[in-house]
Amino acid sequence: MEQDNLIQVGRVVATEAKPSTAYSFSFWAAEGDCKVGIGTLVVVKKGDLEVYGVVVEGFGFTDLNSAMHDYIGSEGDPGSEAPTLRHEVRCYTAAVLRVEPEEPLQPVPVAPVFLADDLVVRNALRMDGFWEKTGIPIGLYQNGDLLSPVYLDSEFLLGPEAAHLNITGVSGLATKTSSIEFILLSIFEHFKDYDDDGIAVVCFNVKGPDMLFLDFPGKVDETSPYYEKYKEHGIDTIDDRDADMYKLLGMPCEPFKNVKYFAPFKSDRVNLNTLRTNADLVGDVTPLSWGLTDILEFTEVVLNRDDVDAKADALISYIKDRVVNETAEVNGQQITVRNFQDMNHWFDMVLKEMEQSNRSEWKTHHYATIRKVYNRLSNLSTRYQGLVSPDEFRSDLPWGDFEDRAVYVVDVANVDPQAQDLVFTRIVSQLRQHLEKGDLGVKHVIVVVDELNKYAPSDGQETYLKQTLLDISERGRYLGLVLFSAQQFRSQVHKRIVGNSATCIYGRMDMDELATPGYQVLTSATKEKLATLSKGQLMVRHPHFNQPIFVKFPRPNILRGPDGIKMFPPANDLPLEEAVWRNLNRLDGGVSRNDVSDIVSSAADPSEIVRAMNITLQRKPDDPVSHFRNCVRKKAGVQMTPDAKPSFIPVLDPDPNDPFQD
Amino acid sequence: MSELLRNLSSYVHAQAERDVHVVLARNDLDEMPMILAAAEPRQAEADLEGRCIDAVRVGDAQPGKLAYFMDGMQRPRGPIYFGSQLPVMYGYVAATIRVRGEDKRMRKHDFIRRESLYFPYDFPGAPMKLADAGFDIVDTGERGKSPEEHPLMLVERAKNKIGVVRSDLESRITSTWLSDFNGRDDWLLVDGSLSGDYHRYDSPNIVGLIKSHQTQYFLWEDQQKILSLKTGERSGVFIPKGRNRPDVYSWYLRLRPNDGRDVYFGLVRVEAAKCERTLEMADEISRWLLAERSPLSMPDARWDRLIYPIHDCELYMKSVAPSHTSLDSLMISLAN
């Protein structure tokens, strides 16, 4: 039977034992292939009344009261075939998604039940009110041949009404990374920038090469320069079905167009601490290297809590306010502290002054406190070697110049947890500060964090990172700072973080996880379906949807991390001289190995070469070799960086040979 | 929903003066007249035509040509009193033929129903104006005989009449089938004695299956042989006597072992048209019936004799009949 081209699949049934209510109803379904299953959207029509529902439970039964009756009837022979098949009825329970008209709200009447079509899907999920204006496709609702786009409301995904997205599921099968990549692509394509706000993404790559090839497609055609390479490695992850789904969702089947990669150095400060080090790619990874001023704000993060007592805190505050980037006078000498090397020198001068004057206090700070803080702070550039620069070289995300629809990938997969803490905290803090001031370059930033179980567990000690994530969850949407997070076990993540996620996505789930109290609202059948979801299938909860909805999404046309590593294997760490030559050669193809070799051998120590190389790379001069040469402090005498101001400004007992003298 | 009672309610409420009383007594046994009747065993006769009643082994169960199955139902309600002490009964009767498809599933082939009010026309106070108003009325009086002036007997008579109307309906639906399917390969199994105009056909494909044994056709010695039948054995073919229908051939068949149970457990009586072919096919038809033992008609109490397709007919008719609740509510609305 058809009504308005809808296919009738059943009829509402209400019994005394299982009555219809205003929020749920049962129906029996037609025999045979009626395309009703858990997650199917249906509509009950009676006169002008339309009740939209989603199937959440199913039962099949016959007129048998006991298995014994079937056993006896079959004479105990399972192979025996009776001339008549017992009646078998399939009943389904549906949860009400929407009722039109909304008032009066009454129990669902006994009436025909129809399968949803495109229009019904749109109405059932209340998408009719926003899909054209603020809709972000998250996937397709599938029922047989029907594939209907399902939209999230960007005002509830990215703010200001609500925000944040959390995805959970078992490792490998839940396609958490793929789904986040797809949703980001969808946002970039469909987010309507009515006020020219601009949107960017900051991804923290926390494991392996997951997000290191976002700018490469999962499939290329013969016109691509990488065609042979893809063919050689058998990489072809996008099929026609995916392409068709992209068409239905109104999206180009393409990777991200504007991706910028950042990674700290390894301890040698020459080689980047990332897997994207293949010679073909390493040029587009920007070092993440922070100086003294960058991290002094985060002493609570980088120093042990026990170390920062009230006295130490007072000294650190003094250094922040009165020493760093200020010209201070110590022991009769003036000094300007701009980096760790300067600071170490400042501490030496202070301690020397105290020792010479035989005083136990310096500007009310006790000698022991100064020693302790000196020890802890000076140790930072060693503890965070590769991330924290001891010299004046700094390289950071382009604060103030964030580009619309750009992805900033910060690879912290191989750095230790303390350094990860610092990276997360500082970057999010900077994002928040710039968004508050409105000078970031864009007005919406999505921060993507995986492994939330690790970074924001429900138990365990409070960390600054956890505090940062909580802060984004609770206050970020007002600033345009949105958290997209993922984890294996939602039950083990801090409740306020998942609780503040307006949109929640579930991939294939573990049954143990589903047995936890957080999933009690789901029916057994829905849990069962969650535990057996195939790749590319998700369950979505969104403020506009009264009930969780199952959707399919196409694979993102992005080179998967493991495939990327196969195609672009990471390079071995380069020796210093080779690294310098290669790096300078990228700026100017005419750099000779001999020139580089001469400069390197003339340097006071390797750290000087590293410093000079990084400064040269950052400034991109027309003549890199000369610039590099001038930056290097030589063994026989130290030469200044041509356009760098001296760090030390001795005013007493000036030394005419002091290279830092003005 | 009962259309008749709904219309009756509207009619009653449209009357300026109304004095209606209803009794909501409900006896589910009224819907199963055969079991009710089984409380009264009786002796009848049989004609063996020279054959003996001795047990015959029919062979193994064998799915056959039984494809259509007929059963009927009745649902009496009342009595209702329209301004007098004359009981008026409401009766819903129905008959259906269900067909078993190639996929072994049962579906509707034919279905007829009737709703009527039952009372004696000639009795003082009979609400004949209901007939004038277009309601379907069945006279429970017997021509030439004055009705008993006992209200309970009048109710009983009305209930019996409802059974007669049900039988008529069964006959009608069976006759239609016989007319439509004469000469074809499929067979019809009816619940109970053969009905319809089977006697008009040479060798109609119709079998009756009787589950109750209130009438005993043989004397003690032969009856012992029948009650001693083992599973898969039938009695000799005989012609039951003392009935108002055209002659049929009949035999007893034990469907299930009755060890430790009643002597009638699993015992059915089969009826088929009185023709030469029936004598030839008695074993084969018996084998068809043995095949119908599965699936069981549990949880029905008669599962040892009630074959599943007939159980299906009953289920179908109950599902489309006016529910007890709706009948009660309509009856109450008559009095309010």
Side-chain angles (χ1 to χ4, degrees), chain A residues 498-526:
Chain A
V498 288
N500 276 300
S501 285
T503 303
C504 295
I505 295 177
Y506 306 79
R508 167 87 74 96
M509 302 281 292
D510 186 272
M511 275 311 259
D512 288 347
E513 170 71 1
L514 287 167
T516 58
Y519 300 91
Q520 278 178 346
V521 291
L522 302 177
T523 63
S524 303
T526 306

PDB file of all heavy atoms in Angstrom, chain A residues 498-526:
ATOM      1  N   VAL A 498      32.593  15.228  27.953  1.00  0.00           N
ATOM      2  CA  VAL A 498      31.628  14.574  27.066  1.00  0.00           C
ATOM      3  C   VAL A 498      30.233  15.166  27.267  1.00  0.00           C
ATOM      4  O   VAL A 498      29.453  15.271  26.318  1.00  0.00           O
ATOM      5  CB  VAL A 498      31.612  13.040  27.263  1.00  0.00           C
ATOM      6  CG1 VAL A 498      32.865  12.419  26.708  1.00  0.00           C
ATOM      7  CG2 VAL A 498      31.423  12.667  28.709  1.00  0.00           C
ATOM      8  N   GLY A 499      29.965  15.578  28.493  1.00  0.00           N
ATOM      9  CA  GLY A 499      28.647  16.162  28.757  1.00  0.00           C
ATOM     10  C   GLY A 499      28.426  17.466  28.024  1.00  0.00           C
ATOM     11  O   GLY A 499      27.297  17.815  27.678  1.00  0.00           O
ATOM     12  N   ASN A 500      29.478  18.181  27.788  1.00  0.00           N
ATOM     13  CA  ASN A 500      29.353  19.456  27.074  1.00  0.00           C
ATOM     14  C   ASN A 500      29.388  19.305  25.563  1.00  0.00           C
ATOM     15  O   ASN A 500      29.233  20.285  24.839  1.00  0.00           O
ATOM     16  CB  ASN A 500      30.469  20.413  27.505  1.00  0.00           C
ATOM     17  CG  ASN A 500      30.097  21.156  28.774  1.00  0.00           C
ATOM     18  OD1 ASN A 500      29.104  21.876  28.803  1.00  0.00           O
ATOM     19  ND2 ASN A 500      30.850  20.953  29.827  1.00  0.00           N
ATOM     20  N   SER A 501      29.627  18.099  25.093  1.00  0.00           N
ATOM     21  CA  SER A 501      29.623  17.873  23.638  1.00  0.00           C
ATOM     22  C   SER A 501      28.180  17.755  23.180  1.00  0.00           C
ATOM     23  O   SER A 501      27.500  16.785  23.503  1.00  0.00           O
ATOM     24  CB  SER A 501      30.373  16.581  23.298  1.00  0.00           C
ATOM     25  OG  SER A 501      31.739  16.792  23.412  1.00  0.00           O
ATOM     26  N   ALA A 502      27.736  18.745  22.443  1.00  0.00           N
ATOM     27  CA  ALA A 502      26.342  18.731  21.991  1.00  0.00           C
ATOM     28  C   ALA A 502      26.110  17.618  20.989  1.00  0.00           C
ATOM     29  O   ALA A 502      25.026  17.049  20.915  1.00  0.00           O
ATOM     30  CB  ALA A 502      25.988  20.073  21.370  1.00  0.00           C
ATOM     31  N   THR A 503      27.132  17.314  20.211  1.00  0.00           N
ATOM     32  CA  THR A 503      27.000  16.265  19.197  1.00  0.00           C
ATOM     33  C   THR A 503      27.910  15.109  19.590  1.00  0.00           C
ATOM     34  O   THR A 503      29.093  15.308  19.851  1.00  0.00           O
ATOM     35  CB  THR A 503      27.407  16.801  17.818  1.00  0.00           C
ATOM     36  OG1 THR A 503      26.591  17.942  17.530  1.00  0.00           O
ATOM     37  CG2 THR A 503      27.213  15.753  16.740  1.00  0.00           C
ATOM     38  N   CYS A 504      27.331  13.936  19.644  1.00  0.00           N
ATOM     39  CA  CYS A 504      28.122  12.753  20.005  1.00  0.00           C
ATOM     40  C   CYS A 504      27.958  11.696  18.926  1.00  0.00           C
ATOM     41  O   CYS A 504      26.857  11.470  18.425  1.00  0.00           O
ATOM     42  CB  CYS A 504      27.661  12.181  21.337  1.00  0.00           C
ATOM     43  SG  CYS A 504      27.956  13.320  22.691  1.00  0.00           S
ATOM     44  N   ILE A 505      29.073  11.091  18.596  1.00  0.00           N
ATOM     45  CA  ILE A 505      29.076  10.080  17.537  1.00  0.00           C
ATOM     46  C   ILE A 505      29.652   8.795  18.112  1.00  0.00           C
ATOM     47  O   ILE A 505      30.581   8.829  18.919  1.00  0.00           O
ATOM     48  CB  ILE A 505      29.913  10.578  16.344  1.00  0.00           C
ATOM     49  CG1 ILE A 505      29.240  11.797  15.736  1.00  0.00           C
ATOM     50  CG2 ILE A 505      30.097   9.500  15.304  1.00  0.00           C
ATOM     51  CD1 ILE A 505      30.008  12.410  14.608  1.00  0.00           C
ATOM     52  N   TYR A 506      29.063   7.692  17.694  1.00  0.00           N
ATOM     53  CA  TYR A 506      29.509   6.395  18.190  1.00  0.00           C
ATOM     54  C   TYR A 506      29.792   5.501  16.994  1.00  0.00           C
ATOM     55  O   TYR A 506      28.935   5.334  16.125  1.00  0.00           O
ATOM     56  CB  TYR A 506      28.430   5.732  19.046  1.00  0.00           C
ATOM     57  CG  TYR A 506      27.946   6.604  20.186  1.00  0.00           C
ATOM     58  CD1 TYR A 506      27.030   7.629  19.973  1.00  0.00           C
ATOM     59  CD2 TYR A 506      28.420   6.414  21.475  1.00  0.00           C
ATOM     60  CE1 TYR A 506      26.594   8.438  21.009  1.00  0.00           C
ATOM     61  CE2 TYR A 506      27.989   7.213  22.527  1.00  0.00           C
ATOM     62  CZ  TYR A 506      27.073   8.226  22.283  1.00  0.00           C
ATOM     63  OH  TYR A 506      26.646   9.029  23.301  1.00  0.00           O
ATOM     64  N   GLY A 507      30.995   4.942  16.953  1.00  0.00           N
ATOM     65  CA  GLY A 507      31.306   3.943  15.934  1.00  0.00           C
ATOM     66  C   GLY A 507      31.143   2.576  16.561  1.00  0.00           C
ATOM     67  O   GLY A 507      30.414   2.408  17.540  1.00  0.00           O
ATOM     68  N   ARG A 508      31.809   1.581  16.009  1.00  0.00           N
ATOM     69  CA  ARG A 508      31.717   0.238  16.582  1.00  0.00           C
ATOM     70  C   ARG A 508      32.159   0.297  18.049  1.00  0.00           C
ATOM     71  O   ARG A 508      33.211   0.857  18.351  1.00  0.00           O
ATOM     72  CB  ARG A 508      32.617  -0.713  15.792  1.00  0.00           C
ATOM     73  CG  ARG A 508      32.852  -2.064  16.454  1.00  0.00           C
ATOM     74  CD  ARG A 508      31.792  -3.070  16.106  1.00  0.00           C
ATOM     75  NE  ARG A 508      31.955  -3.547  14.765  1.00  0.00           N
ATOM     76  CZ  ARG A 508      32.594  -4.670  14.436  1.00  0.00           C
ATOM     77  NH1 ARG A 508      33.122  -5.432  15.370  1.00  0.00           N
ATOM     78  NH2 ARG A 508      32.701  -5.026  13.179  1.00  0.00           N
ATOM     79  N   MET A 509      31.330  -0.265  18.923  1.00  0.00           N
ATOM     80  CA  MET A 509      31.602  -0.159  20.353  1.00  0.00           C
ATOM     81  C   MET A 509      31.927  -1.520  20.947  1.00  0.00           C
ATOM     82  O   MET A 509      31.508  -2.547  20.430  1.00  0.00           O
ATOM     83  CB  MET A 509      30.366   0.397  21.071  1.00  0.00           C
ATOM     84  CG  MET A 509      29.907   1.739  20.585  1.00  0.00           C
ATOM     85  SD  MET A 509      30.873   3.069  21.236  1.00  0.00           S
ATOM     86  CE  MET A 509      30.398   3.001  22.940  1.00  0.00           C
ATOM     87  N   ASP A 510      32.615  -1.460  22.053  1.00  0.00           N
ATOM     88  CA  ASP A 510      32.933  -2.647  22.806  1.00  0.00           C
ATOM     89  C   ASP A 510      31.772  -2.964  23.754  1.00  0.00           C
ATOM     90  O   ASP A 510      31.207  -2.051  24.360  1.00  0.00           O
ATOM     91  CB  ASP A 510      34.213  -2.346  23.595  1.00  0.00           C
ATOM     92  CG  ASP A 510      34.734  -3.551  24.318  1.00  0.00           C
ATOM     93  OD1 ASP A 510      34.305  -3.791  25.460  1.00  0.00           O
ATOM     94  OD2 ASP A 510      35.565  -4.240  23.727  1.00  0.00           O
ATOM     95  N   MET A 511      31.408  -4.234  23.872  1.00  0.00           N
ATOM     96  CA  MET A 511      30.254  -4.592  24.709  1.00  0.00           C
ATOM     97  C   MET A 511      30.484  -4.230  26.182  1.00  0.00           C
ATOM     98  O   MET A 511      29.542  -3.856  26.885  1.00  0.00           O
ATOM     99  CB  MET A 511      29.954  -6.091  24.590  1.00  0.00           C
ATOM    100  CG  MET A 511      29.083  -6.434  23.402  1.00  0.00           C
ATOM    101  SD  MET A 511      27.626  -5.397  23.260  1.00  0.00           S
ATOM    102  CE  MET A 511      26.371  -6.427  23.913  1.00  0.00           C
ATOM    103  N   ASP A 512      31.729  -4.335  26.618  1.00  0.00           N
ATOM    104  CA  ASP A 512      32.012  -3.971  28.016  1.00  0.00           C
ATOM    105  C   ASP A 512      31.708  -2.495  28.247  1.00  0.00           C
ATOM    106  O   ASP A 512      31.151  -2.115  29.268  1.00  0.00           O
ATOM    107  CB  ASP A 512      33.487  -4.239  28.351  1.00  0.00           C
ATOM    108  CG  ASP A 512      33.766  -5.723  28.452  1.00  0.00           C
ATOM    109  OD1 ASP A 512      32.785  -6.487  28.513  1.00  0.00           O
ATOM    110  OD2 ASP A 512      34.946  -6.108  28.444  1.00  0.00           O
ATOM    111  N   GLU A 513      32.093  -1.693  27.262  1.00  0.00           N
ATOM    112  CA  GLU A 513      31.834  -0.260  27.380  1.00  0.00           C
ATOM    113  C   GLU A 513      30.323  -0.002  27.364  1.00  0.00           C
ATOM    114  O   GLU A 513      29.807   0.817  28.127  1.00  0.00           O
ATOM    115  CB  GLU A 513      32.515   0.460  26.200  1.00  0.00           C
ATOM    116  CG  GLU A 513      32.154   1.933  26.025  1.00  0.00           C
ATOM    117  CD  GLU A 513      32.733   2.848  27.099  1.00  0.00           C
ATOM    118  OE1 GLU A 513      33.440   2.345  27.984  1.00  0.00           O
ATOM    119  OE2 GLU A 513      32.441   4.054  27.047  1.00  0.00           O
ATOM    120  N   LEU A 514      29.621  -0.735  26.500  1.00  0.00           N
ATOM    121  CA  LEU A 514      28.173  -0.534  26.402  1.00  0.00           C
ATOM    122  C   LEU A 514      27.437  -0.965  27.671  1.00  0.00           C
ATOM    123  O   LEU A 514      26.292  -0.577  27.889  1.00  0.00           O
ATOM    124  CB  LEU A 514      27.620  -1.308  25.203  1.00  0.00           C
ATOM    125  CG  LEU A 514      27.951  -0.709  23.842  1.00  0.00           C
ATOM    126  CD1 LEU A 514      27.636  -1.691  22.725  1.00  0.00           C
ATOM    127  CD2 LEU A 514      27.175   0.580  23.625  1.00  0.00           C
ATOM    128  N   ALA A 515      28.107  -1.778  28.470  1.00  0.00           N
ATOM    129  CA  ALA A 515      27.467  -2.221  29.718  1.00  0.00           C
ATOM    130  C   ALA A 515      27.595  -1.180  30.824  1.00  0.00           C
ATOM    131  O   ALA A 515      27.000  -1.331  31.883  1.00  0.00           O
ATOM    132  CB  ALA A 515      28.089  -3.535  30.174  1.00  0.00           C
ATOM    133  N   THR A 516      28.325  -0.106  30.574  1.00  0.00           N
ATOM    134  CA  THR A 516      28.499   0.915  31.613  1.00  0.00           C
ATOM    135  C   THR A 516      27.240   1.792  31.701  1.00  0.00           C
ATOM    136  O   THR A 516      26.458   1.860  30.749  1.00  0.00           O
ATOM    137  CB  THR A 516      29.737   1.790  31.324  1.00  0.00           C
ATOM    138  OG1 THR A 516      29.586   2.389  30.049  1.00  0.00           O
ATOM    139  CG2 THR A 516      31.004   0.968  31.370  1.00  0.00           C
ATOM    140  N   PRO A 517      27.043   2.466  32.831  1.00  0.00           N
ATOM    141  CA  PRO A 517      25.770   3.188  33.053  1.00  0.00           C
ATOM    142  C   PRO A 517      25.453   4.249  32.009  1.00  0.00           C
ATOM    143  O   PRO A 517      24.285   4.525  31.748  1.00  0.00           O
ATOM    144  CB  PRO A 517      25.977   3.837  34.432  1.00  0.00           C
ATOM    145  CG  PRO A 517      27.013   3.008  35.096  1.00  0.00           C
ATOM    146  CD  PRO A 517      27.912   2.507  34.027  1.00  0.00           C
ATOM    147  N   GLY A 518      26.454   4.826  31.389  1.00  0.00           N
ATOM    148  CA  GLY A 518      26.197   5.892  30.428  1.00  0.00           C
ATOM    149  C   GLY A 518      25.371   5.468  29.225  1.00  0.00           C
ATOM    150  O   GLY A 518      24.848   6.305  28.497  1.00  0.00           O
ATOM    151  N   TYR A 519      25.253   4.174  28.999  1.00  0.00           N
ATOM    152  CA  TYR A 519      24.541   3.690  27.815  1.00  0.00           C
ATOM    153  C   TYR A 519      23.187   3.085  28.171  1.00  0.00           C
ATOM    154  O   TYR A 519      22.569   2.422  27.348  1.00  0.00           O
ATOM    155  CB  TYR A 519      25.399   2.662  27.078  1.00  0.00           C
ATOM    156  CG  TYR A 519      26.721   3.240  26.627  1.00  0.00           C
ATOM    157  CD1 TYR A 519      27.842   3.172  27.441  1.00  0.00           C
ATOM    158  CD2 TYR A 519      26.834   3.899  25.406  1.00  0.00           C
ATOM    159  CE1 TYR A 519      29.047   3.729  27.050  1.00  0.00           C
ATOM    160  CE2 TYR A 519      28.035   4.462  25.014  1.00  0.00           C
ATOM    161  CZ  TYR A 519      29.135   4.378  25.843  1.00  0.00           C
ATOM    162  OH  TYR A 519      30.316   4.945  25.453  1.00  0.00           O
ATOM    163  N   GLN A 520      22.737   3.314  29.419  1.00  0.00           N
ATOM    164  CA  GLN A 520      21.473   2.705  29.844  1.00  0.00           C
ATOM    165  C   GLN A 520      20.282   3.230  29.064  1.00  0.00           C
ATOM    166  O   GLN A 520      19.252   2.562  28.980  1.00  0.00           O
ATOM    167  CB  GLN A 520      21.258   2.959  31.337  1.00  0.00           C
ATOM    168  CG  GLN A 520      22.008   1.968  32.207  1.00  0.00           C
ATOM    169  CD  GLN A 520      21.828   2.244  33.678  1.00  0.00           C
ATOM    170  OE1 GLN A 520      21.363   3.318  34.056  1.00  0.00           O
ATOM    171  NE2 GLN A 520      22.221   1.315  34.510  1.00  0.00           N
ATOM    172  N   VAL A 521      20.428   4.411  28.491  1.00  0.00           N
ATOM    173  CA  VAL A 521      19.291   4.974  27.755  1.00  0.00           C
ATOM    174  C   VAL A 521      19.076   4.253  26.428  1.00  0.00           C
ATOM    175  O   VAL A 521      18.026   4.408  25.807  1.00  0.00           O
ATOM    176  CB  VAL A 521      19.490   6.481  27.477  1.00  0.00           C
ATOM    177  CG1 VAL A 521      19.402   7.277  28.751  1.00  0.00           C
ATOM    178  CG2 VAL A 521      20.808   6.734  26.765  1.00  0.00           C
ATOM    179  N   LEU A 522      20.060   3.489  25.990  1.00  0.00           N
ATOM    180  CA  LEU A 522      19.924   2.791  24.708  1.00  0.00           C
ATOM    181  C   LEU A 522      19.255   1.437  24.925  1.00  0.00           C
ATOM    182  O   LEU A 522      19.466   0.790  25.957  1.00  0.00           O
ATOM    183  CB  LEU A 522      21.295   2.579  24.068  1.00  0.00           C
ATOM    184  CG  LEU A 522      22.123   3.833  23.797  1.00  0.00           C
ATOM    185  CD1 LEU A 522      23.476   3.454  23.226  1.00  0.00           C
ATOM    186  CD2 LEU A 522      21.400   4.764  22.833  1.00  0.00           C
ATOM    187  N   THR A 523      18.464   0.997  23.938  1.00  0.00           N
ATOM    188  CA  THR A 523      17.838  -0.319  24.056  1.00  0.00           C
ATOM    189  C   THR A 523      18.877  -1.395  23.791  1.00  0.00           C
ATOM    190  O   THR A 523      19.949  -1.126  23.223  1.00  0.00           O
ATOM    191  CB  THR A 523      16.706  -0.472  23.029  1.00  0.00           C
ATOM    192  OG1 THR A 523      17.289  -0.393  21.723  1.00  0.00           O
ATOM    193  CG2 THR A 523      15.649   0.592  23.194  1.00  0.00           C
ATOM    194  N   SER A 524      18.533  -2.617  24.158  1.00  0.00           N
ATOM    195  CA  SER A 524      19.458  -3.731  23.939  1.00  0.00           C
ATOM    196  C   SER A 524      19.776  -3.880  22.461  1.00  0.00           C
ATOM    197  O   SER A 524      20.917  -4.148  22.078  1.00  0.00           O
ATOM    198  CB  SER A 524      18.840  -5.032  24.450  1.00  0.00           C
ATOM    199  OG  SER A 524      18.519  -4.908  25.788  1.00  0.00           O
ATOM    200  N   ALA A 525      18.758  -3.704  21.629  1.00  0.00           N
ATOM    201  CA  ALA A 525      18.974  -3.876  20.186  1.00  0.00           C
ATOM    202  C   ALA A 525      19.905  -2.799  19.652  1.00  0.00           C
ATOM    203  O   ALA A 525      20.765  -3.067  18.799  1.00  0.00           O
ATOM    204  CB  ALA A 525      17.632  -3.829  19.455  1.00  0.00           C
ATOM    205  N   THR A 526      19.737  -1.579  20.124  1.00  0.00           N
ATOM    206  CA  THR A 526      20.609  -0.497  19.665  1.00  0.00           C
ATOM    207  C   THR A 526      22.040  -0.771  20.103  1.00  0.00           C
ATOM    208  O   THR A 526      22.992  -0.585  19.338  1.00  0.00           O
ATOM    209  CB  THR A 526      20.112   0.850  20.230  1.00  0.00           C
ATOM    210  OG1 THR A 526      18.746   1.012  19.879  1.00  0.00           O
ATOM    211  CG2 THR A 526      20.912   2.009  19.674  1.00  0.00           C
TER     212      THR A 526
END
